[in-house]
Amino acid sequence: MKYKVAMLPGDGIGKDVMEAAQIVLNAIELDAEYIYGDVGWEFWKKEGNPLPDRTIELLKETDCCLFGAITSKPKKEAQEELPAYLKGKVEYFSPIVKLRQLFDLYANVRPCKAYKGNPLNYRDDIDIVIFRENTQGLYAGVEFYPLPDEVRKALQIHPNMKKFSDVPSDEIAVSLRIFTRNGCHRIVKKAFEYAKEYGRKSVTVVEKPNVIRETSGMMIEEARKIAKSYPNIEYGEANIDAMAMWLIKNPQNYDVLVTSNMFGDIISDLSAQLVGGLGFACSGNIGEKYAVFEPTHGSAPKYAGKYVVNPTAMILSVKMMLDWLGEKKLAEKLESGIARTIEEGKVKTYDMGGNSSTLEMAEEFIKNMD
Ligand code: NAI
Ligand code: MG
């Protein structure tokens, strides 16, 4: 076999949409071996680890991974569901966040494309791809509460800390927004390379350098340097707050967007809703050597195992995987089936106003492929 693909269905509807993905992959005859692995709440409850070491080993032996969705719960509930011998001994962590860190999957890529005929489209001419930095920024996980004395002392060298000097340590919390030059460079570079490869018109960097001068400033600085080597791609800059308005006002004007972790999290959800919402929101977590593709929805427990949710987000993630593997013909073929199915509107899941099942929709994609 040419490829080895790790399949991690996870919990709830993750399993339903993964089954749809497997049916589609079999139909297009990708030359691959599919190896299923354990991830999610089920394994937290059984083993006190939602991402067992054997799963990490499995990923290391594969070319890339398809991820379904997982359930997660707040700290207290998580502990309550553990067997007695594990209670208080282990802490829950997010498997997908861990995978991003472990495999340095620094680019979170979120295409938001309006497929013609989708009743959920905000407009029919939207085709945006968001590149979100996936490992740093405000989600780097460097946070303090209560504020340790050493940290407070270090921060005090900044004059603007003065106004907080009377606040007791247990009345103040700090979350750090950390950017590295390399982190800025590689995400912007990835966005431009993508734009070049797929003939995109423009790349817009979305930050807030007038206020968050150091971190956003560094991103803009790197972006301007990189933009110079792509004279055929229009380069733009926008502030994150203004972008939230413009994405509602004229989303058709935007092409490739690139931004930091939290801003990307927010505008990618906003943009996904413009083209159909969670049932359509696909994503790739992409590094230099490995990638994990996943729909952005969660495990939707109330629909688990009912096979009623929309598999499009998952199948579009499969399409992204095919592109990443270099199987462009297969990716196009699969997309043609998705596009035709949506345009015809005969087979629709509940979110689109229909009552077709998850697997009927997947079968229809196959039937409609070029
Ligand atoms: P969710 O995304 O699971 O579902 C929210 C609602 O969106 C659903 O009730 C359903 O109405 C709709 N929906 C989601 N996917 C759909 C699809 N494919 N087709 C049609 N409708 C769809 O978010 P929720 O309810 O906040 O979280 C449920 C669980 O999932 C939680 O345990 C949460 O922590 C986890 N979660 C996991 C994620 C992941 O695995 N990447 C992401 C988000 C949440
Ligand atoms: Mg999000």
Side-chain angles (χ1 to χ4, degrees):
M1 298 283 182
K2 196 166 168 193
Y3 307 109
K4 272 188 179 173
V5 180
M7 307 285 270
L8 307 185
D11 304 303
I13 62 163
K15 291 190 167 75
D16 302 24
V17 296
M18 190 63 99
E19 200 174 316
Q22 186 69 74
I23 290 171
V24 165
L25 282 163
N26 292 346
I28 62 170
E29 296 179 335
L30 177 70
D31 188 9
E33 180 189 351
Y34 302 100
I35 312 169
Y36 282 76
D38 300 334
V39 74
W41 199 249
E42 201 183 323
F43 300 95
W44 165 253
K45 283 203 302 190
K46 265 196 251 168
E47 308 171 20
N49 186 354
L51 180 67
D53 292 344
R54 60 182 179 281
T55 303
I56 296 171
E57 290 311 309
L58 161 68
L59 264 56
K60 285 181 185 159
E61 283 161 25
T62 54
D63 296 293
C64 60
C65 168
L66 271 182
F67 191 99
I70 47 146
T71 297
S72 63
K73 297 183 188 178
K75 206 166 167 174
K76 205 164 147 244
E77 285 173 60
Q79 287 296 329
E80 276 163 10
E81 294 193 25
L82 285 176
Y85 77 100
L86 286 172
K87 276 201 174 79
K89 298 212 172 70
V90 284
E91 279 269 11
Y92 184 82
F93 62 89
S94 157
I96 192 74
V97 173
K98 176 99 176 262
L99 286 178
R100 287 169 182 165
Q101 304 286 349
L102 221 69
F103 290 87
D104 199 20
L105 308 174
Y106 64 88
N108 189 269
V109 184
R110 298 261 309 247
C112 299
K113 177 168 170 179
Y115 287 95
K116 200 171 157 195
N118 184 353
L120 301 171
N121 284 346
Y122 179 69
R123 293 178 58 112
D124 287 336
D125 52 359
I126 300 169
D127 188 2
I128 298 169
V129 183
I130 297 165
F131 282 72
R132 158 188 169 196
E133 204 292 321
N134 217 12
T135 56
Q136 314 189 335
L138 204 48
Y139 296 176
V142 185
E143 304 191 280
F144 299 99
Y145 177 82
L147 195 59
D149 288 342
E150 310 93 283
V151 176
R152 181 179 281 246
K153 216 174 133 208
L155 292 175
Q156 226 90 46
I157 66 166
H158 198 289
N160 289 346
M161 271 307 282
K162 212 170 177 165
K163 60 176 174 270
F164 302 110
S165 58
D166 292 338
V167 185
S169 293
D170 60 352
E171 298 276 321
I172 186 169
V174 173
S175 304
L176 292 181
R177 189 177 199 249
I178 305 175
F179 284 33
T180 66
R181 198 168 290 284
N182 180 47
C184 295
H185 180 90
R186 62 186 188 170
I187 190 67
V188 176
K189 182 92 187 161
K190 196 97 178 160
F192 270 99
E193 278 299 305
Y194 176 92
K196 189 173 142 188
E197 186 178 348
Y198 291 91
R200 294 282 183 153
K201 210 170 78 253
S202 72
V203 173
T204 306
V205 54
V206 186
E207 280 296 327
K208 184 90 181 176
N210 53 333
V211 177
I212 324 175
R213 308 182 87 87
E214 301 307 337
T215 44
S216 286
M218 184 179 275
M219 180 79 95
I220 296 285
E221 213 175 277
E222 285 310 301
R224 286 181 187 172
K225 277 191 250 168
I226 293 166
K228 288 205 178 86
S229 356
Y230 298 85
N232 298 327
I233 299 167
E234 206 180 295
Y235 169 68
E237 293 171 3
N239 280 344
I240 179 69
D241 48 343
M243 198 61 184
M245 284 200 289
W246 289 333
L247 280 173
I248 304 293
K249 192 170 177 221
N250 37 28
Q252 72 283 4
N253 291 356
Y254 294 97
D255 197 340
V256 175
L257 304 181
V258 57
T259 181
S260 52
N261 211 336
M262 187 184 74
F263 293 168
D265 195 12
I266 298 168
I267 55 167
S268 55
D269 274 15
L270 191 163
S271 303
Q273 193 54 46
L274 300 176
V275 298
L278 286 173
F280 293 84
C282 57
S283 79
N285 300 277
I286 300 176
E288 289 306 329
K289 297 198 185 84
Y290 200 78
V292 176
F293 299 90
E294 52 158 350
T296 60
H297 61 72
S299 61
K302 74 175 174 196
Y303 296 115
K306 296 194 174 141
Y307 294 97
V308 295
V309 295
N310 192 338
T312 306
M314 182 69 189
I315 306 302
L316 285 171
S317 304
V318 170
K319 184 236 169 223
M320 290 181 80
M321 178 184 87
L322 295 169
D323 271 327
W324 185 79
L325 286 170
E327 298 288 343
K328 304 259 170 320
K329 286 243 161 64
L330 283 182
E332 271 170 36
K333 181 173 157 168
L334 177 53
E335 191 180 23
S336 73
I338 297 169
R340 192 165 295 132
T341 301
I342 295 172
E343 187 167 3
E344 283 182 0
K346 287 192 288 208
V347 176
K348 291 187 287 204
T349 44
Y350 81 88
D351 54 321
M352 301 170 74
N355 54 19
S356 306
S357 78
T358 306
L359 302 185
E360 279 164 359
M361 188 107 171
E363 295 290 355
E364 192 72 6
F365 292 158
I366 296 166
K367 214 174 83 194
N368 283 330
M369 287 188 305
D370 288 339

